Amino acid sequence: MKQNFTPEDLMAYLYAETSLSLRLAIQDALRRDPVLAQELEQLRMSKRQFPKVKFTAPKRSLQRIMNYSCSTALEGQI
């Protein structure tokens, strides 16, 4: 039985966000269907072109978050 996979399925596969059963089904389909394999490769190439962005919050902001977290964590225990 041939199963159709959407671009969303392939994106989830690419980002390792699928269930084990879906991952295995996609891997099996990729071995059997060269067109599907080409679609996945195009998505991989697109992903590689995304800029590598690293977000870093200022230390002062992180400290404020931690202080707030500590102060509110005690509220539930009183």
Side-chain angles (χ1 to χ4, degrees):
M1 178 176 94
K2 183 172 181 172
Q3 189 171 359
N4 294 323
F5 294 103
T6 65
E8 290 80 14
D9 292 330
L10 294 177
M11 287 299 293
Y13 175 83
L14 185 61
Y15 282 91
E17 295 175 348
T18 58
S19 65
L20 179 59
S21 60
L22 181 57
R23 184 166 201 73
L24 293 173
I26 291 173
Q27 287 174 346
D28 184 53
L30 289 168
R31 284 190 291 273
R32 298 171 191 257
D33 186 348
V35 173
L36 186 66
Q38 182 60 38
E39 289 177 28
L40 180 63
E41 186 54 34
Q42 288 174 348
L43 290 172
R44 275 192 181 118
M45 288 172 31
S46 297
K47 181 184 174 192
R48 281 188 219 117
Q49 292 176 2
F50 288 141
K52 301 296 180 205
V53 179
K54 196 173 194 179
F55 295 99
T56 306
K59 288 183 181 183
R60 183 176 176 191
S61 296
L62 293 174
Q63 189 58 53
R64 286 182 175 174
I65 292 168
M66 294 300 295
N67 291 343
Y68 176 79
S69 178
C70 287
S71 69
T72 59
L74 295 176
E75 289 175 3
Q77 296 176 5
I78 296 176

